[in-house]
Amino acid sequence: MVKHSPGEKIQITTKEGEVFEGIFIPSTDKNTFIIKLDNGYNIGIDIKKIKSTKRISAGKKLNVFPSLNIKQSEGLPSVSVIATGGTISSRVDYSTGGVTRLMEPGQIFSLAPEISKIVKIRKIEKPFMIASENMDPDHWVKIAEETAKLLNSDDRGVLITHGTDTLHYTAAALSFMLKNLNKPVVLTYSQRSTDRGSTDTALNLKCSMHALLSDVAEVMLVGHAEASDSFCYGLRGTKARKMHTSMRNTFRPVNDKPLIKINGEGNISFISHNYNKRKDAEKVEVDTAFEKKIALVKYYPGADPCILDYYIGKKYRGIIIEATGLGHVATDNAKKSWLPAIKKAVKKGILICAVPQTLYGTLDPLVYDEGRKALEAGLLYLKDILPEVAYVKIGWVLGHTKNFEKAKEMMLMNYAHEFNDRITPDMFLF
Amino acid sequence: MLDYEELGFKCGLELHQQLSGKKLFCNCNTELKEGNIVFTIKRKIKPVVGETGEYDIASEFESARDRTFIYQGYEGESCLVDVDCEPPKKMNKDALHTALSVAKFFKLRIPDTILVMRKTVSDGSAPSAFQRTMITGLEAKDSKIETSLGDVKIIQLNLEEDACKKIDETDNVVTYSLSRVGIPLLELATGPQIKTPEHALEVAKQLGMIFRSFPLVKRGLGTIRQDINVSIKEGTRIEIKGWQDLRTLPILIENEVERQKFLVNFKKFLNNREINTKPEDVSYLFKQTRSKIIYNLLKENGKVYALVLPHFAGWFKKEVCKGKTFGREISEYAKAHGTKGMIHSDEDLSKYDLTQEFVKLREHMKAGNDDLIVLVAEKEKMAVNAINAVLERAKYCLKGVPEETRVPNHFNATSSFARPLPGSNRMYPETDQESIKVNNGLMDEIYIPELISERAVRFEKQYNLNPDIARQIAKEYYEFEELTKGYKNVEPKLIAEILLNIPKDMKKRLNLDINKLTYDNYCELFSYLNQNKITKTAIVDVLTDMIKGEKINVTKYQNVSETLIENAIKEIVATNKGAPFNAVMGMIMDKYRGKVDGSRVAEIIRKNL
């Protein structure tokens, strides 16, 4: 059989004498030949049934990630973008089934043309292009460095497009790594792919651009506030979490309220007034020292404490335990108490902290005996912090000190609003 | 009568048939009850740049309208999948099997691998802005039906998701119900071999009958809809979407033919004379207007735009087809931008209090007597969009019939402009679904049911039913045969009679709500008859009690022994000497109605008189 290239117009004749014409689409299944018929439908023909194929014409080259040729307006405020991958900056290649990546401003404009009237996109940095589940702390460092570089230019702010799965980890990492933040840093995303007219991307991008022009010099996660295309929230980077596998309003504030509410027309209302103001003249510092021998462990009924022994053996320096309720793990009343392993870890100089697996609310070890016992064993209680944020924080803290007591002290310091001392009922399931 | 051959009439149908069961890609039901609203979601549909780097014309048109879509979700009938907040679940296997068996019936070529596609939908009727669809059958040598005017080819069968039902539309907000979106839909397309509007009806009826022979197919109003493609020589292919009334289908097609003929004639009349006029803001001419609507609009910063259409005078009064003037037809292009309509000089202007203004306007715009003046009064942006749409449409009159998608007006069997025909690049793969290999294993599960027409013929012979009853039973009551087997002592004829006519008759005569009767009620009735616990004469009484919700106590209707009846008759005859037959019959039936068979009573009376 003749070899065909994607996009080529071909004709297939089967052994039974049927004739099909269409665009050749590469198939991942070697037993199936796929063509796109003139009416746009794809069909698969069993290779065994094909007698011959021939090329009719070269066909057209398909533009996979479309780009709008819009002249950028010089008079508009300039921003830069760091594209890291994820749904927002990728498109499925219709002809090969592969994924292609966002490369140029025209492609961003193709997602929301209105943006070209809000900002000028000076630069698009592409330090790497990966799905966010494939990221690790090295990627956070790279993003922090790129962000700092861009913030210290004339840009009004920096937009980071990112996959949703671990977006809140990156947001937390940037919150700790960018010191004396001078301008808005906005992370945004797309929950539903950009090929569809119902994509959330357009509103997210528009609101993000408006947020970049605001005076909120914070690391913010900007995206759909509701399932509807109504408006977006700007959420604090240390107090947001992905809470739904697929809904557009997946990111919710936990033990906090949003900082701002933004609509597509650029109207911003402030929900919190506790934020750092823009100081364009100042320079941001990047502080990326990070200890990677850290772990996030979930406690659950029957959980074997030998998991801690594993990390102790591997010479880990910090462990975050997602504890039940007000901060509990199995104690000496249980078959498998975690207390001996915790004590052993502490003795070895491993920083071992508890965070609430309930996510909402704050820990309190003093309410029940079990809590007091764990406290005595040396578990450090991290109040209302999110588990993922605690994981990032412990890496950052241990990157900065080798001193156990100092590290404990730093873990309890409120660097980036990761603790909220005043939790109100309206924050629950906000 | 038009000579359709002479006209170069071409017509093909696309039938859309809903299936029952679950939705195609989620577990919501397809009952369309629309009970409690459990959620509401608002969306904007963005035009998406296609593979070629250009926007699709239909979605760009939609985007220019800048509409907001509201979707209402109902208990049990809508979930996250419907509003594109969750990837689709695995495809409904029953629906796929039905599609494959329909494809097999029509001898279509079933693809070896079925691939689910996303078809771009820009009018908001799909919350995801696409409809999932797949080819389950392609034209083959023998894929056709025989009709009185020759064979009509069947060229494609798709299985797809139904769209949302529009509930409400105001200025720029359209509200849709989510109950219908995602219901499995078979889309069957015929070739253009339909020869006349009446022929279209014949084809639609035959295809409908075939569809209804498949068990999962839904019945009733709205469960089958026709899209009609019509063109004539010098006209163009027009797609009219969503016709639901079979009876008036020929009139709809006739009207479309008339419309295309009109446009072709008008093109000939214009004879390439240029239209080089432009819309003008003439608001200041209306400052003193007596027209309340325009006065109020101007007060609220609205604008009045006027446009001269040279040589159009008189034409807007004419009918493009029965029941619709050309002016009305053109106003639909303005309405597509949210306006309430337009005013033109072919109308009776006194009803708007605008006679004087138009005289001034004609002078101001230097319009001749042959020229028509069109006016749109609205908020500025809307007025500009609308008047430009009218101008563009008017210019197209030089070319003839514009290609477009139209929606039907069921009240007078005409159609209205909906949107331009979508471009070709509006289909791309549904990456969230696995492809389906149509192998022997799958096809072994596919069977073709007996057609309703075949079943009717068989019932007529096998159960000795009259042809009419056989046809109706075959069409409406799948359970019939099962019942004849389950209740062997009840004559099939009587079962048919009970299913078909007795309740209808009860409704007519006794004004009872027969919809309350359930299948179980009928089974209960048949079981009494089967065990001879009641006689035929008790049927109406038993059904009546069932409707009233009364407990059925068979002794109430129990057969009275013939000896007892005979004794009662003898007694009546003895005490009422010389009483005529009817009187005796009346007295007996009054006393024993429901417990005796009238014909037996008559026999006994005759014997004793």
Side-chain angles (χ1 to χ4, degrees), chain B residues 561-567 569-571 573 579-581 584-585 598-609:
Chain B
S561 77
E562 290 200 5
T563 335
L564 193 87
I565 295 290
E566 193 155 1
N567 288 341
I569 290 169
K570 279 180 181 156
E571 199 187 316
V573 173
F581 171 85
V584 180
M585 185 76 191
S599 55
R600 274 302 290 155
V601 174
E603 269 174 50
I604 302 169
I605 296 175
R606 279 194 199 97
K607 212 171 73 187
N608 285 281
L609 272 182

Side-chain angles (χ1 to χ4, degrees), chain A residues 75-356:
Chain A
L76 292 174
S78 105
V79 298
S80 285
V81 177
I82 301 176
T84 68
T87 304
I88 189 164
S89 45
S90 47
R91 262 270 170 107
V92 173
D93 183 332
Y94 305 142
S95 49
T96 64
V99 173
T100 53
R101 304 297 185 183
L102 174 134
M103 301 300 277
E104 49 174 284
Q107 292 169 329
I108 296 186
F109 294 144
S110 80
L111 302 173
E114 302 95 319
I115 288 173
S116 64
K117 297 197 175 78
I118 307 171
V119 292
K120 189 186 107 185
I121 297 177
R122 187 176 65 87
K123 232 176 172 184
I124 298 185
E125 295 289 357
K126 298 164 285 270
F128 45 81
M129 280 286 179
I130 51 173
S132 73
E133 57 273 29
N134 291 330
M135 285 192 187
D136 61 37
D138 288 339
H139 294 99
W140 305 337
V141 170
K142 185 76 189 150
I143 296 173
E145 285 166 357
E146 293 282 355
T147 306
K149 237 186 279 170
L150 295 168
L151 286 174
N152 289 336
S153 72
D154 288 339
D155 287 335
R156 297 273 286 159
V158 173
L159 176 71
I160 299 159
T161 61
H162 199 292
T164 51
D165 282 15
T166 68
L167 178 55
H168 47 301
Y169 289 80
T170 304
L174 295 178
S175 303
F176 294 114
M177 290 176 178
L178 298 173
K179 274 167 83 174
N180 188 30
L181 191 58
N182 51 352
K183 296 168 185 175
V185 173
V186 168
L187 295 111
T188 197
Y189 62 90
S190 167
Q191 264 290 71
R192 307 301 285 149
S193 63
T194 56
D195 55 70
R196 52 186 86 202
S198 63
T199 181
D200 48 337
T201 317
L203 183 67
N204 288 357
L205 279 174
K206 274 190 279 182
C207 293
S208 294
M209 293 303 183
H210 288 301
L212 289 182
L213 304 184
S214 75
D215 72 338
V216 185
E218 293 279 356
V219 174
M220 264 186 295
L221 231 135
V222 172
H224 270 59
E226 303 182 322
S228 295
D229 290 331
S230 41
F231 55 91
C232 289
Y233 283 138
L235 306 175
R236 199 184 283 287
T238 51
K239 280 297 193 195
R241 193 173 192 276
K242 185 172 184 180
M243 297 295 273
H244 199 280
T245 56
S246 54
M247 283 184 78
R248 288 159 173 76
N249 51 341
T250 178
F251 287 100
R252 311 310 305 167
V254 178
N255 296 326
D256 198 5
K257 281 192 281 189
L259 285 171
I260 51 174
K261 178 178 163 179
I262 322 155
N263 72 8
E265 284 70 50
N267 296 320
I268 296 183
S269 49
F270 287 83
I271 298 172
S272 164
H273 292 278
N274 186 12
Y275 64 89
N276 293 315
K277 292 231 160 49
R278 175 192 287 279
K279 319 164 266 210
D280 281 355
E282 292 185 20
K283 299 277 183 211
V284 66
E285 287 165 47
V286 59
D287 179 5
T288 58
F290 200 88
E291 170 60 77
K292 283 191 267 181
K293 291 204 102 64
I294 50 168
L296 178 57
V297 175
K298 187 171 190 131
Y299 172 76
Y300 46 86
D304 194 326
C306 73
I307 185 71
L308 298 182
D309 292 327
Y310 169 82
Y311 288 118
I312 296 166
K314 289 271 176 192
K315 300 206 161 25
Y316 269 56
R317 292 189 56 215
I319 299 171
I320 303 290
I321 298 174
E322 283 189 26
T324 60
L326 288 163
H328 306 128
V329 293
T331 61
D332 38 16
N333 291 330
K335 258 192 229 161
K336 289 178 186 168
S337 169
W338 276 44
L339 300 183
I342 291 173
K343 282 182 192 156
K344 187 171 150 195
V346 172
K347 211 170 151 193
K348 296 250 177 199
I350 298 170
L351 186 55
I352 186 156
C353 310
V355 297

Side-chain angles (χ1 to χ4, degrees), chain B residues 3 11 15 23 27 32 55 67 86 136 139 157 203 220 235 247 296 381 409 425 436 440 451 455 510-511 518 527 556:
Chain B
D3 184 338
C11 176
L15 268 78
K23 286 191 177 178
N27 291 314
L32 297 165
Y55 286 121
R67 298 195 292 181
E86 187 183 308
T136 53
E139 182 174 3
L157 177 73
V203 171
R247 278 177 312 118
N296 287 336
K381 190 179 162 198
N409 306 308
N425 56 354
I436 299 150
N440 294 338
L451 286 190
R455 193 155 55 218
L510 307 168
N511 196 25
T518 63
S527 114
K556 193 169 135 195

Side-chain angles (χ1 to χ4, degrees), chain B residues 447-465:
Chain B
Y447 74 99
I448 296 172
E450 183 183 27
L451 286 190
I452 290 171
S453 52
E454 295 164 354
R455 193 155 55 218
V457 173
R458 182 168 64 82
F459 281 3
E460 198 184 319
K461 286 192 201 131
Q462 190 173 336
Y463 300 109
N464 194 23
L465 303 178

Side-chain angles (χ1 to χ4, degrees), chain A residues 380-426:
Chain A
L380 185 67
Y381 280 79
L382 297 184
K383 304 182 230 183
D384 66 310
I385 200 168
L386 277 165
E388 298 79 15
V389 176
Y391 170 72
V392 173
K393 184 176 181 181
I394 201 169
W396 183 77
V397 163
L398 294 175
H400 285 78
T401 180
K402 298 256 185 264
N403 180 312
F404 185 76
E405 287 308 318
K406 171 78 179 157
K408 268 173 87 171
E409 194 185 300
M410 283 177 78
M411 279 312 285
L412 293 172
M413 285 269 288
N414 204 359
Y415 287 98
H417 298 283
E418 67 270 28
F419 299 124
N420 186 359
D421 292 336
R422 266 194 78 247
I423 298 176
T424 51
D426 50 343

